[in-house]
Amino acid sequence: MPISFSRLAIALGIASIILLPFAYASSGDRNPTFQHCLRGCAATYCDPSQPPIAFYLRLFGWTCAENCAYHCSHSFTDKIGPGSRYHQFYGKWAFYRLGPFQEPFSIIMSLGNLLVNLQGVSAVRRRIRSENKLRKWLVSLGFVQVNTWIWSAVFHARDKPWTERLDYFSATLTIAFTLLYSIIRILHFQTPLYTSRFLLPACVAVALLVLSHFKYILSFPLGQFPYGYHTMFNLCLGLIHNLLWVLWSFSFRFPYPTLRFGRFLSLSFPYPYPPHNPYKNPSPKESSTPAVLVGLTTLAMSLELWDFAPLFRVIDAHSLWHTATIPLTMGWWHFLMADALELEGSLMGQGGMGVGLLEEPIGRRRGGGPLERDADMPMTPTFQELDSGRVKLTSSSPSPGTRMRISPKSSEFK
């Protein structure tokens, strides 16, 4: 799924410049005119003797008081003259709802992100063999993000304290899981062929960090939320994730020094595709993709900082952020799949050529079994073929952390 990242960057930049003048930070719920409207609406329509609000509103949890606040916020906004600033009400802009749904455009964009991640999971299952140990991590990452976008759609449909918490908690899970994947992938705690002893400690550390964050937030009563702390926590996780992938991309162009501590301890940045030295070998075409995606994501996040009154009372900065994440997510899925295949091929001595690259493989058996091969398409041998001794690895370099023994009848990793 090729994406023109340069066009996306230009579009996001132009949108940010155009929308910046609309940025305001104000609140209208304390305005006397708004309060007068609320009191009049409540006295007229919320008296027990009056008919209840529409059934479809009550079905989705709307109360008469909330319905009055909705209509009064729009009545107040209608009277704002040209050039005057818009106001927020209870921390939100005045959006036109669609039926009972408060922010329809954000809902649509959330569902768009959900669909992209479902397509990503499907593509991983089609293109990456079940023997590749990164496959299950990518599938899990996809479902974590699907959960996040479900609760994002629910929150934008009905802004309640409990939907807000589920939305924010799910977003934190996605950020934490993407960070965990970047750690285990870049540091080779998990590769397509083997599992490092550091994998479990890394998972436990990230899990404890997230659980402690959730525990702190849950110490606040429902209806109160430490927005500043929550934002800073997620920002720190995201910055570490971004830094790791930028360093990974730059490692193909700049040799990183080895840090030595005494005679027995040294630290060096891992090779992206061992055993090949990235600085001395040709770079794969996807080597710069993570750095580009990190830059575009940072640019898109500026929409969150430049909050502005919704255009046509439908599209605001947050919904545009959700719009931008759709092509960005497509780009990440494209890279992560290509990276998992390239790493598998590199470790197995095939240079990553043709490992599961066919979008619709011929003769694929259910459960990720062997594939029929095109004679002109070099393919990495399956683990069953290696075990049977029918083929041998073309590289004499064993996979990191393994010792290889090849005999005329068998080939096995120890």
Side-chain angles (χ1 to χ4, degrees):
M1 52 183 76
I3 298 175
S4 177
F5 295 115
S6 59
R7 292 183 180 179
L8 177 60
I10 294 173
L12 291 176
I14 293 175
S16 301
I17 294 172
I18 293 175
L19 298 175
L20 180 59
F22 294 93
Y24 301 107
S26 58
S27 177
D29 51 273
R30 294 187 300 271
N31 188 282
T33 303
F34 176 78
Q35 290 295 329
H36 178 74
C37 176
L38 276 183
R39 289 191 294 269
C41 179
T44 304
Y45 299 104
C46 297
D47 188 271
S49 62
Q50 298 297 321
I53 61 176
F55 173 74
Y56 70 89
L57 294 176
R58 288 182 282 124
L59 182 64
F60 283 86
W62 284 84
T63 64
C64 183
E66 290 175 333
N67 196 45
C68 282
Y70 170 80
H71 288 289
C72 287
S73 65
H74 283 285
S75 175
F76 183 90
T77 304
D78 289 339
K79 298 175 182 177
I80 296 177
S84 300
R85 66 178 186 177
Y86 285 85
H87 292 266
Q88 289 186 337
F89 302 87
Y90 306 106
K92 281 188 169 291
W93 300 107
F95 287 94
Y96 285 131
R97 68 190 179 194
L98 181 62
F101 304 126
Q102 289 178 262
E103 301 175 29
F105 190 75
S106 290
I107 296 173
I108 294 172
M109 293 302 103
S110 295
L111 295 177
N113 279 278
L114 186 153
L115 177 61
V116 166
N117 282 288
L118 286 176
Q119 291 175 338
V121 171
S122 176
V124 167
R125 287 173 166 170
R126 288 197 313 271
R127 298 178 59 187
I128 300 180
R129 300 175 304 160
S130 58
E131 297 95 336
N132 188 320
K133 293 186 177 182
L134 288 178
R135 184 179 189 257
K136 62 182 179 181
W137 284 95
L138 291 174
V139 171
S140 299
L141 175 61
F143 283 119
V144 168
Q145 296 193 80
V146 166
N147 171 75
T148 294
W149 291 111
I150 288 175
W151 288 113
S152 174
V154 171
F155 170 64
H156 289 299
R158 287 295 287 125
D159 182 0
K160 294 286 189 179
W162 65 273
T163 61
E164 179 185 57
R165 286 196 174 188
L166 287 172
D167 176 41
Y168 288 174
F169 283 8
S170 298
T172 298
L173 283 177
T174 287
I175 296 172
F177 201 95
T178 54
L179 171 60
L180 176 61
Y181 183 82
S182 67
I183 291 173
I184 66 173
R185 162 60 188 93
I186 294 174
L187 301 183
H188 301 307
F189 293 169
Q190 178 71 77
T191 76
L193 303 185
Y194 76 96
T195 301
S196 166
R197 65 180 182 273
F198 297 110
L199 176 64
L200 181 59
C203 295
V204 171
V206 173
L208 291 177
L209 183 65
V210 173
L211 289 175
S212 63
H213 173 68
F214 289 167
K215 181 180 179 182
Y216 175 72
I217 291 180
L218 291 173
S219 66
F220 288 81
L222 193 64
Q224 297 182 20
F225 198 91
Y227 296 102
Y229 160 77
H230 176 76
T231 301
M232 187 59 63
F233 179 85
N234 287 282
L235 182 61
C236 290
L237 296 185
L239 287 175
I240 298 172
H241 166 271
N242 291 347
L243 178 62
L244 285 173
W245 280 117
V246 169
L247 290 174
W248 185 90
S249 288
F250 286 176
S251 68
F252 290 94
R253 292 161 178 80
F254 307 103
Y256 295 141
T258 299
L259 303 178
R260 301 188 182 279
F261 304 91
R263 297 175 55 187
F264 304 103
L265 179 61
S266 63
L267 296 176
S268 59
F269 196 82
Y271 287 172
Y273 298 112
H276 307 298
N277 186 325
Y279 191 64
K280 297 180 180 179
N281 291 273
S283 301
K285 63 179 182 179
E286 302 289 349
S287 61
S288 61
T289 300
V292 173
L293 288 170
V294 166
L296 291 175
T297 302
T298 303
L299 179 62
M301 284 187 66
S302 64
L303 293 169
E304 288 280 73
L305 301 177
W306 293 341
D307 192 19
F308 57 88
L311 301 176
F312 315 110
R313 302 188 204 178
V314 175
I315 303 173
D316 69 332
H318 187 71
S319 63
L320 289 179
W321 157 244
H322 287 342
T323 304
T325 54
I326 292 177
L328 289 172
T329 302
M330 294 170 62
W332 274 112
W333 275 117
H334 176 75
F335 165 73
L336 291 175
M337 285 188 291
D339 173 69
L341 299 173
E342 184 73 26
L343 180 59
E344 181 184 22
S346 176
L347 293 176
M348 298 182 72
Q350 298 295 313
M353 296 179 62
V355 186
L357 291 180
L358 293 178
E359 186 70 16
E360 295 294 338
I362 302 174
R364 180 170 61 88
R365 298 196 317 201
R366 296 182 64 181
L371 308 177
E372 294 182 7
R373 299 180 178 179
D374 190 326
D376 297 327
M377 175 66 72
M379 297 284 285
T380 298
T382 65
F383 294 161
Q384 292 90 341
E385 291 173 331
L386 289 171
D387 186 63
S388 66
R390 288 181 292 166
V391 296
K392 295 183 179 180
L393 298 179
T394 60
S395 171
S396 59
S397 301
S399 303
T402 65
R403 182 166 58 86
M404 189 182 307
R405 184 180 67 193
I406 302 179
S407 66
K409 295 184 178 180
S410 66
S411 173
E412 61 183 357
F413 294 101
K414 288 190 174 182

